[in-house]
Amino acid sequence: MPESPFPVATTAVRLPRYTKAEQDELLGDADDPFGVAETGLTWLPKEEHFGIRDGDRLVAHAGLLRLPVAIGDAETEVVGIGGVAVAPDMQGRGLARIVVAAALDHARALGLEHALLFCRPPLVALYQRLGWHPIDQDVRVEQPGARVVLMPLRTMVTPLRDDAHWPPEPVRLLSLPM
Ligand SMILES: CC(C)(COP(=O)(O)OP(=O)(O)OC[C@H]1O[C@@H](n2cnc3c(N)ncnc32)[C@H](O)[C@@H]1OP(=O)(O)O)[C@@H](O)C(=O)NCCC(=O)NCCS
């Protein structure tokens, strides 16, 4: 039998926790592993975590939490996805697809209509491959000191139900971004 090109377990599991040490193990302890420091934004930690392990080593992660949001005048909730990360030596093997899919399966069970994430422009095409689409309306988010700022990163959404349609109105996250 030829050796599998995927020596790691390719199923994602729910993680009981996701510590800074685990993030460092995944992406290294560089100051800005997500490349978003220049935005100067303060981010929320995620509340639930999914990961892929290679033996004892964590090699992929995606986090999520429910977030209050106003779309136009309508207040609702979305599932915010964040902290998507794959160990550098494991990238390009479909692990982000698997771990994000696991987070979205869980998100669907929460009964909300949409998931939302923020990403740098070079990652838009990757998330489009995973079934997300960028939205063009303004997105505002809260920041410490009761400030509300325009999100400088791209905002992408994906439906969690077949009948979900993202409205075209301006978006305001009623929390810090995730
Ligand atoms: C972004 C990141 C999570 C991607 O992880 P990955 O495991 O390499 O991604 P995958 O291999 O699962 O690729 C997902 C899909 O996007 C596709 N893809 C990858 N790069 C692409 C690109 N530049 N344009 C279009 N599609 C792309 C892949 O082919 C794959 O599609 P397929 O499954 O249909 O073949 C990883 O590079 C990373 O951890 N980066 C550092 C942290 C970071 O920036 N996280 C993002 C926070 S929003």
Side-chain angles (χ1 to χ4, degrees):
M1 284 256 298
E3 195 179 333
S4 163
F6 295 108
V8 296
T10 44
T11 35
V13 295
R14 189 155 176 188
L15 303 175
R17 68 189 168 273
Y18 180 62
T19 61
K20 173 73 168 66
E22 283 161 325
Q23 183 188 301
D24 289 353
E25 181 194 344
L26 246 182
L27 285 178
D29 60 0
D31 282 346
D32 185 20
F34 293 99
V36 296
E38 67 181 1
T39 66
L41 290 171
T42 300
W43 301 88
L44 275 180
K46 274 50 79 179
E47 291 175 358
E48 297 179 89
H49 303 278
F50 289 81
I52 299 173
R53 293 191 189 280
D54 179 20
D56 288 342
R57 180 185 172 213
L58 186 67
V59 293
H61 168 264
L64 65 123
L65 77 170
R66 299 171 75 118
L67 292 171
V69 62
I71 308 174
D73 293 330
E75 288 193 18
T76 181
E77 281 187 305
V78 292
V79 177
I81 301 271
V84 179
V86 173
D89 60 319
M90 296 287 182
Q91 292 175 6
R93 304 179 185 202
L95 297 192
R97 177 183 279 283
I98 294 167
V99 80
V100 170
L104 289 179
D105 281 346
H106 182 73
R108 267 181 216 103
L110 298 176
L112 302 180
E113 288 192 24
H114 291 95
L116 178 150
L117 63 76
F118 301 112
C119 69
R120 291 176 287 113
L123 291 177
V124 168
L126 183 152
Y127 283 112
Q128 280 178 310
R129 270 297 290 166
L130 302 185
W132 295 72
H133 59 92
I135 60 171
D136 290 327
Q137 62 256 49
D138 284 351
V139 177
R140 289 184 163 73
V141 300
E142 295 187 352
Q143 286 291 280
R147 285 183 305 129
V148 176
V149 303
L150 198 58
M151 170 51 70
L153 298 171
R154 293 308 305 271
T155 303
M156 301 190 72
V157 297
T158 193
L160 298 172
R161 299 203 314 229
D162 288 345
D163 59 350
H165 298 286
W166 187 264
E169 282 98 340
V171 177
R172 174 160 168 213
L173 218 56
L174 303 171
S175 76
L176 298 175
M178 71 293 146

